[in-house]
Amino acid sequence: MSITVKSTDKTDTVDVTDDVAAEVPSDLTSGTCTVFVQHTTAGVVVNERESRLLSDIETALGRIVPDEERYSHDEIDDNAAAHLRAIFLGESVTVPVVDGDLDLGRWQSILFVECDGPRTRTVEVTTTPAASD
């Protein structure tokens, strides 16, 4: 299963929680859901979806890996900063499924973080039933 995510800026954070939840099969009552980004310049995290925090994520990534630096990979694609930022984010998250729903904490959301946008991306969603007793 996959979902499509459209970013609007070079660095952009998009809440994909509802899209991921819609991919959980109705007959899966207990198990896990893994969200995987098949891109080297984007990542996925679980955190709070609060507008100022989303902005802070983008600001922090820019401070950790500044655009102004010259990186060797820039000689090829001029997007080394995006690759390096994605390393810090990670390419996947796994969330428990309990009683058919994503078992996220009260303030948790699944966030897709674009580092080389704007782009249209594909995010893979896989589910695994819990092992039977």
Side-chain angles (χ1 to χ4, degrees):
M1 302 171 280
S2 63
I3 60 174
T4 301
V5 181
K6 294 181 181 183
S7 60
T8 58
D9 292 312
K10 180 174 178 134
T11 305
D12 194 10
T13 306
V14 180
D15 184 349
V16 295
T17 308
D18 291 341
D19 295 324
V20 171
E23 295 299 322
V24 175
S26 59
D27 62 344
L28 180 66
T29 57
S30 179
T32 58
C33 177
T34 300
V35 181
F36 179 75
V37 178
Q38 293 183 315
H39 305 283
T40 60
T41 57
V44 63
V45 299
V46 172
N47 214 302
E48 184 175 356
R49 182 200 70 208
E50 189 275 322
S51 61
R52 291 167 291 196
L53 180 59
L54 299 182
S55 177
D56 290 342
I57 291 169
E58 296 166 17
T59 299
L61 287 171
R63 287 183 181 152
I64 293 168
V65 183
D67 282 318
E68 300 77 28
E69 290 290 324
R70 293 307 305 159
Y71 305 98
S72 297
H73 180 74
D74 286 335
E75 296 173 12
I76 299 169
D77 288 343
D78 199 32
N79 67 347
H83 287 282
L84 295 170
R85 290 172 183 163
I87 289 170
F88 288 101
L89 296 166
E91 72 290 332
S92 67
V93 297
T94 299
V95 177
V97 175
V98 176
D99 296 327
D101 294 317
L102 295 173
D103 193 29
L104 292 164
R106 178 177 180 163
W107 302 109
Q108 290 182 318
S109 295
I110 302 170
L111 306 173
F112 170 86
V113 184
E114 174 65 65
C115 299
D116 195 24
R119 291 182 185 239
T120 299
R121 303 284 198 160
T122 300
V123 176
E124 296 301 319
V125 179
T126 58
T127 55
T128 305
S132 48
D133 297 343

